[in-house]
Every structure is written in structure tokens, then in C-alpha cells.
Amino acid sequence: MLSVEPRADVFTDGYFEFAIFRHDKGKEVDFTGYNGTSDTVVVPRYAVDPNGNRYRVTSIGRLPMLFPDTLRVLVLPNTMRSIVRINAPSLVSIVIPDSVYEISPAAFADCRSLRGVDLPPNLERIAPYTFDSCTSLVNVTIPNGVKTIAKYAFKGCTSLRDVAIPDGVRELGRFAFRHCSSLRWVVIGAGLKTIHEDMFEGCRSLESIVIGPGVRDIGENAFRNMANLTDVVLSEGLKRIGASAFEGCISLGSIVIPESVISIDSTSFKECSSLKGIFVRDGNVRYASSCGCLYDAKGSKLILCPPGMEGTFDVPDHVTSIEEGAFSHCHALTYVIIPDNVKSIGFNAFYDCSGLKSVSIGKGVRTLNSSVFEFCSSLSWVEMRNGIRTIGDHAFGSCSSLKRIDLPDSLQYINKYAFYGCTGLQTIRFGRNLSQIAPYAFLECGALVEFVVDEDNRNFVSINGALYTKDLKELVHYPSGRKEQYLVIFRGLTTIRTGAVLGPVSLRRYVVEDGNENFVSVAGVLFSKDLRELVRYPPGKGRSYSIPYGTLYISEDAFFGCSLRNMVIPDGVRVIGTYTFYGCDSLTSISLPGSLYSLMDHSFSKCTSLMRVYLRDRLESISIGHCAFAFCDEGLDILSDVEGYDLEYFDLRGKDEYFIPDGELPLFSGTLGLGWVPRD
């Protein structure tokens, strides 16, 4: 790029304006404007100053340009070497001679009437923002000599339809064609090695792309959400297809994987709902295909089933593992049969298969990994043969059509949130070897009325549909769909497990049998025997409640899903537990004491009507857990009347953690962070 010297002699030669910049490097001038009225301007090769000196015109635009609104066509002379800046909003066409070898960044930016450009053959670089917001640019010819197309070069060229990137291009910058919303087809030559992430962001009309043999890597999100993309040609030489590279390309019907490809991310073709076939060329040492599905070269790993697969799918007998995300978002898949030869099913393997109704799992599988069937909202029948030992986190999360499930005798462990959000689940049967159920395994299972336990199970027993440990010392889970108005706490009961009572809304009081040494009921509310801990509040008891003084701890889940409207936490309370007020969607305000030092994870999560949190004293060292106020009202205010201090709070939505300076709140992970600053 030519540097602009601070002083220049400007003179007019007829209708043309010039500036002399380089007296010591020959008689050359910069063309800076035209003050005539013609719609077509042919810039002269030479200019003569008032003293009769003759200069070669070699550049344009180093000083602010002067062009009339009537200008439509600009013809540059073959003495021209560089273009710095064209400021001509009405310019429709420009003729650039072969002599030009340098075009500066943003040279044609905002030339909104420019329709077509043939770039000169000696140009080696299209600089950043060169054609930024040239909204009428329909076509551009990129010469073979160009080696670099820099970032944002064609950003916002909303009328650009077709682009051929020649073999000479070695580098294509990020967002080079960002928001070229009319771009229909792209041909990428042999010189480019990498298609960077977000290269074609916003090119929603793209229908066809030919990727040349020089390309080794397609970066993540490269063609994400291009809904009209129907044809993709991948050339030999390609090595890697990155994460979400073609995610959301809902019109893509098939894809041919070259022999050279060695890496395909599990999310590369995520939510490509029309994709019915992935075909691998013979000779690929890493991958193979059969019936449109992607496998490893040996055929033992089922890597990816195209999201457009419909109907029933029988996993072939030669498959021993179904890989992570292999069937995710296969919305038209209805029935799946997994044979005994399959030993493992990866994370998210059937995630969001919203049309899946039935699945049969063979005896070879030992673990159902996290989210394996999550959001399979039509799943109503699951067959598990003996072999499965562990059900992972969220494995059946939000399977809302699942009404009954029989778990095999081989099952030993059910992890956290395993059946979270199974709103239609009514009955679940446990086999004889189940030994561990993690907290919140049945969170938001509002229709659950009964646990059925094999009589030979040595760890658990069902009494009136509720789940207890075999010795009746621990309440493991009380079904949220029960209709009883009271819950009896047996004489020998010592523990109510975390997540054990998450409803039901009909429950109005706890009744403690005489002789129980651990719990006491006060007006139907369950406390520890020494009254220091509020253990559970019956969800159906009422809309207002005053916690008695002397309470030090409010247990996890204590007010889970209650219909309380407001709450004052008395002085002395130190800890509010995990999920304590979760889902109290009628709660509008809460008052917290200065004695409080810990708000646990999700303590007020999903209190959708919560508008005010009052702090009665300055809290010196409170710890606020993850998502403590997640999904509360967006207008939630934290208020304080502490004398001498102003309350400062921070919006932390979307952040994992936030550190506040020493002497204030140490850590918050979730929605809001709080701190106190001395008042001026």
C-alpha cells in the first residue's frame, strides 16, 4: 500500500484533478477526481500542470476523491499502477488496465452501484475489505496470478452470484465471502490447502461447491446452515472434514468421500435432514460405506448414519461398536435393532431421534452412555437384554413418550439425570442386581407413580410404589405422580436421599412415626430432630410460609416445585441447598439474611416469576453456586439497603465463572454476580 505524504501539490488539468506526491521518483501523479458532468470518465495517461510540466498518471485515490453523482463508468489508463481508494457510490463499471499490480484495502468499499469487475492479471493480492458492501456486484473475475484473497475481501456483496477461485490462490482469509447472500456456486482451485471456519458465513443461497484437489482441510462450520446446498464435490487430496462443516445443510442429498480422507468429525453432517447416503470411494484406508452409512475400513465401527435415513434400521452383525453421535438427529428413523455383537454405544448415539419409537438393545452392550437416547421424544418401547450394567447421565432424558420401562437383572448403576424429563413415565421395574441410583435420576418425571423391584434384589424394596433401601432406613425416591396428601416417615428411617422427594403437588404434610430419632414434623413440615435443618416442605401445603427462627440449614430440594409466592429467610440461616427452590414458578421475591454464606447450585433455578432478591445485610463471604438463578425472570433485581455501601451486580449469562475482587463475593458461576462498593 502506498503511503500518503502529508503535503501534496494539487492542480487541475481541464476537468481532471491531480496530486503530485513523488517529485524525487520521476514525474508521476495521483488522480484524485473529476469535476465534470459526463457519466463516463476516461482518465488521461498524462497530466500537464499550470507550468507546462508533463506527468504520468500512475495511481488513484491517495487523497479524498472528487466525483460527481452522474459518474457511471470509469476507465483507467495503462500507465496506472495502483488503486488506493475509489469513492464513487454511483459507479457501475470500472475498466482496470493490466498495468495495475496493487489494490489497497477497502479500495472499492461501499461502491454500492458497482456491478462487475475484471481484476488485472498482475494483481497478486485482494486486500482486506476490498469490495466490502458492494451490494450490486454480480460477478468478479479473479486472475490466475492472485495468490491471496484476504479476510472480508467480498464481505456483504449481496448480489454476487458465482465465484471461481483460481489455482494460484494459496490463502483464503476468514469471512472472505461473509454475507454474500446471493452466492449460488463456488469453484475452489487446486492451490488452496485449507477452507477456514466461517469462510462462507451467511451465504444462504449457495447451491453448489467444487472443492479442488489442493484442499487438505475443511474447517469447522465452513458451510454450516447453508440450506440450499445440494451439490458438493470433494476432490482427491482432501484429508479432514471438520466439526459441523456441513451441519444444517438440509438440502444435501448425498456425499462422496474421497479415497484420501482420513478424518471426519462426528458432527460434520449434523442435522443434514435430506442426507440419505454417504459413499466412500474404494481404496480409502480409514473408512468404508454400506447402504449409505459410514463405517471404519474394517466395518466393525458404525460411525455415521445419514440424518435422512428413514424407517427401520437393523445394525449389521459385523458391527461391534456404534460411535458417538452415529444416529443423532435422524428424525425419520422409527425402529432400531441392535444385535448382540455390538459391545458399545457411544455418547449421544441416538440423540434427538425425534421419530424413533422402538429400540431393541442386544446383550453385548454393557453401558448406555450419556445422552444416548436423549430427546427421543417418540420413544415408547425399549427392550434391554441382560448385559447392560450402567445407564449414564441423561441416557433417556426427555423421552416424553416412554410410559414404562423394564430394566434387566444385569443392571447395577443408574447415573444422575438418567431419566430426566421423562414426563410420561409411569412405571419402572428394577431387576435383582441394581445397587446404586444417583441423585436426580428421575428429575421432572411428573407422571411416575410406581417403582417395581424384583423381590430378590438385596438393595432396594418398593412400598406403596415408593423406593426404599432394603433395610427401610433410606427413602430413595418417592414418585412425583402419587396422589397421596401425606407421606409417612417410618420409625427407623434415617435418611431422605438427595432428589428423593420432588413432588407430588398433592402432598400437604409429612407424618413422622413415634420413636423416629432423626426427624420431626412441625405443622406438616419436615425438620431434623434438633430443628436446625428444614428438610422438606410439602409442595401442596400452601402459598406462604415463615421459616422458624433457629433454622440453620435449608436442605437440598426442600421447597422443590412449591407454589410459594414470597419467602423471608430468617436470620441465622447459613446454607440454602442444591435445587432448594427449583421450579417455584410462583415465587416473586425472596429476602436473604446476612448470616447466609452459601447458595448451592440451582438453588433458585427455574423460578420464572422471581423479580426481586433482597439482601438485608452485607454478605461478606457468600458462595453462590452454579446456575443459582438460571432461567429466572430476565428483569431480576438484586436489592440492598446496607448503610454506606452500594450494591453492584454483573450479568453473567453464558459465562462459566466470574471472579470478583478480594473482599467481595469470591465466585459466581451462572446468571448474576454480586459485590459491594463503598458509597461515595
Side-chain angles (χ1 to χ4, degrees), residues 146-416:
V146 170
K147 294 181 173 60
T148 301
I149 300 176
K151 63 181 181 179
Y152 299 104
F154 295 92
K155 180 179 77 74
C157 293
T158 54
S159 297
L160 190 64
R161 295 182 180 177
D162 310 315
V163 170
I165 298 173
D167 292 344
V169 173
R170 298 288 188 268
E171 180 182 353
L172 190 60
R174 287 196 64 186
F175 303 112
F177 294 92
R178 188 182 194 189
H179 297 315
C180 292
S181 55
S182 297
L183 192 63
R184 297 177 304 176
W185 63 262
V186 175
V187 176
I188 297 176
L192 192 67
K193 294 188 179 300
T194 301
I195 300 177
H196 293 293
E197 59 180 312
D198 307 316
M199 188 75 64
F200 296 93
E201 180 185 307
C203 297
R204 58 177 180 266
S205 298
L206 191 64
E207 298 174 1
S208 175
I209 178 118
V210 178
I211 297 175
V215 174
R216 299 292 181 265
D217 295 279
I218 299 177
E220 63 181 76
N221 303 316
F223 302 99
R224 188 170 181 256
N225 290 335
M226 295 187 182
N228 293 305
L229 187 63
T230 56
D231 298 306
V232 175
V233 176
L234 306 177
S235 299
E236 290 297 338
L238 182 67
K239 297 292 186 184
R240 287 167 285 273
I241 302 175
S244 300
F246 295 93
E247 179 182 341
C249 294
I250 59 175
S251 298
L252 187 63
S254 64
I255 191 80
V256 177
I257 306 298
E259 180 181 338
S260 55
V261 170
I262 60 173
S263 176
I264 302 173
D265 190 88
S266 62
T267 63
S268 295
F269 301 98
K270 180 181 177 182
E271 295 189 16
C272 293
S273 55
S274 297
L275 187 65
K276 291 182 168 61
I278 301 172
F279 305 100
V280 180
R281 294 192 182 278
D282 293 340
N284 190 300
V285 297
R286 189 68 59 87
Y287 298 106
S289 59
S290 176
C291 300
C293 291
L294 183 68
Y295 297 84
D296 70 330
K298 296 180 179 180
S300 61
K301 297 179 180 179
L302 199 165
I303 297 171
L304 188 62
C305 176
M309 183 70 73
E310 299 176 349
T312 301
F313 189 90
D314 287 337
V315 177
D317 289 336
H318 55 75
V319 172
T320 59
S321 68
I322 298 173
E323 299 297 281
E324 178 179 347
F327 290 85
S328 64
H329 307 287
C330 289
H331 299 296
L333 198 64
T334 54
Y335 301 97
V336 172
I337 300 173
I338 301 171
D340 293 343
N341 287 342
V342 173
K343 306 300 181 186
S344 65
I345 304 176
F347 299 97
N348 304 303
F350 294 89
Y351 181 90
D352 192 28
C353 290
S354 58
L356 184 63
K357 297 178 181 179
S358 171
V359 62
S360 175
I361 304 170
K363 63 183 180 181
V365 176
R366 295 292 181 265
T367 300
L368 292 181
N369 280 305
S370 297
S371 301
V372 62
F373 294 103
E374 188 171 16
F375 292 109
C376 292
S377 55
S378 298
L379 187 63
S380 59
W381 185 79
V382 178
E383 180 188 29
M384 298 185 205
R385 297 176 197 153
N386 266 322
I388 293 175
R389 296 175 182 173
T390 303
I391 297 179
D393 299 355
H394 294 271
F396 292 95
S398 299
C399 291
S400 53
S401 296
L402 197 61
K403 294 183 178 180
R404 177 187 174 94
I405 189 164
D406 293 325
L407 302 175
D409 287 337
S410 58
L411 185 68
Q412 298 176 21
Y413 309 105
I414 299 177
N415 287 355
K416 206 170 185 179

Side-chain angles (χ1 to χ4, degrees), residues 12-33:
T12 300
D13 184 1
Y15 290 113
F16 301 102
E17 187 177 273
F18 304 94
I20 303 173
F21 279 100
R22 295 178 293 180
H23 295 283
D24 58 337
K25 293 185 180 180
K27 296 183 177 181
E28 300 177 350
V29 296
D30 177 65
F31 177 58
T32 61

Side-chain angles (χ1 to χ4, degrees), residues 302-593:
L302 199 165
I303 297 171
L304 188 62
C305 176
M309 183 70 73
E310 299 176 349
T312 301
F313 189 90
D314 287 337
V315 177
D317 289 336
H318 55 75
V319 172
T320 59
S321 68
I322 298 173
E323 299 297 281
E324 178 179 347
F327 290 85
S328 64
H329 307 287
C330 289
H331 299 296
L333 198 64
T334 54
Y335 301 97
V336 172
I337 300 173
I338 301 171
D340 293 343
N341 287 342
V342 173
K343 306 300 181 186
S344 65
I345 304 176
F347 299 97
N348 304 303
F350 294 89
Y351 181 90
D352 192 28
C353 290
S354 58
L356 184 63
K357 297 178 181 179
S358 171
V359 62
S360 175
I361 304 170
K363 63 183 180 181
V365 176
R366 295 292 181 265
T367 300
L368 292 181
N369 280 305
S370 297
S371 301
V372 62
F373 294 103
E374 188 171 16
F375 292 109
C376 292
S377 55
S378 298
L379 187 63
S380 59
W381 185 79
V382 178
E383 180 188 29
M384 298 185 205
R385 297 176 197 153
N386 266 322
I388 293 175
R389 296 175 182 173
T390 303
I391 297 179
D393 299 355
H394 294 271
F396 292 95
S398 299
C399 291
S400 53
S401 296
L402 197 61
K403 294 183 178 180
R404 177 187 174 94
I405 189 164
D406 293 325
L407 302 175
D409 287 337
S410 58
L411 185 68
Q412 298 176 21
Y413 309 105
I414 299 177
N415 287 355
K416 206 170 185 179
Y417 307 116
F419 294 90
Y420 169 74
C422 290
T423 54
L425 186 62
Q426 298 174 10
T427 303
I428 185 164
R429 180 195 176 277
F430 299 135
R432 66 186 63 176
N433 291 309
L434 184 67
S435 60
Q436 181 175 319
I437 301 174
Y440 306 112
F442 305 99
L443 179 65
E444 295 197 6
C445 293
L448 187 61
V449 295
E450 182 183 29
F451 291 99
V452 179
V453 182
D454 190 290
E455 62 182 14
D456 292 330
N457 189 295
R458 293 175 296 177
N459 302 292
F460 301 107
V461 64
S462 177
I463 298 178
N464 296 325
L467 189 65
Y468 294 84
T469 54
K470 196 79 168 184
D471 57 10
L472 297 182
K473 290 184 177 181
E474 296 182 52
L475 174 59
V476 179
H477 196 89
Y478 186 78
S480 299
R482 303 291 295 185
K483 303 300 182 183
E484 288 85 358
Q485 295 188 9
Y486 63 90
L487 174 59
V488 176
I489 305 300
F490 300 138
R491 178 178 178 178
L493 194 72
T494 62
T495 304
I496 297 177
R497 288 191 180 181
T498 299
V501 184
L502 305 176
V505 295
S506 62
L507 192 63
R508 295 188 177 184
R509 61 192 175 99
Y510 287 90
V511 177
V512 179
E513 287 187 344
D514 292 339
N516 188 294
E517 297 178 355
N518 300 284
F519 302 105
V520 63
S521 178
V522 179
V525 181
L526 191 64
F527 285 82
S528 61
K529 194 74 171 183
D530 59 8
L531 298 178
R532 300 176 69 185
E533 180 176 1
L534 192 159
V535 179
R536 294 292 188 278
Y537 179 85
K541 179 176 175 58
R543 295 196 170 189
S544 63
Y545 179 68
S546 296
I547 298 174
Y549 286 97
T551 303
L552 300 182
Y553 310 102
I554 303 176
S555 180
E556 64 276 355
D557 319 320
F559 291 90
F560 187 100
C562 291
S563 56
L564 295 167
R565 291 182 176 177
N566 54 69
M567 172 66 69
V568 175
I569 308 295
D571 292 333
V573 171
R574 299 177 183 178
V575 176
I576 296 178
T578 304
Y579 286 103
T580 295
F581 292 93
Y582 181 94
C584 293
D585 52 15
S586 297
L587 189 65
T588 59
S589 66
I590 190 81
S591 178
L592 303 177

Side-chain angles (χ1 to χ4, degrees), residues 105-173:
F108 298 98
D110 295 315
C111 289
R112 297 182 181 275
S113 299
L114 188 64
R115 293 184 57 81
V117 176
D118 289 333
L119 295 173
N122 293 321
L123 187 69
E124 293 188 356
R125 183 173 187 262
I126 300 177
Y129 300 96
T130 296
F131 295 98
D132 184 14
S133 299
C134 291
T135 54
S136 297
L137 189 66
V138 176
N139 57 72
V140 61
T141 302
I142 301 173
N144 290 327
V146 170
K147 294 181 173 60
T148 301
I149 300 176
K151 63 181 181 179
Y152 299 104
F154 295 92
K155 180 179 77 74
C157 293
T158 54
S159 297
L160 190 64
R161 295 182 180 177
D162 310 315
V163 170
I165 298 173
D167 292 344
V169 173
R170 298 288 188 268
E171 180 182 353
L172 190 60

Side-chain angles (χ1 to χ4, degrees), residues 617-657:
D617 299 288
R618 186 180 180 214
L619 311 178
E620 295 285 353
S621 60
I622 186 172
S623 171
I624 303 180
H626 176 68
C627 294
F629 294 98
F631 306 106
C632 291
D633 191 285
E634 291 184 358
L636 176 65
D637 283 330
I638 311 293
L639 306 173
S640 177
D641 293 326
V642 179
E643 184 177 354
Y645 287 89
D646 288 325
L647 184 64
E648 184 177 47
Y649 61 94
F650 311 88
D651 185 353
L652 303 178
R653 290 181 176 87
K655 294 188 177 182
D656 289 331
E657 59 183 34

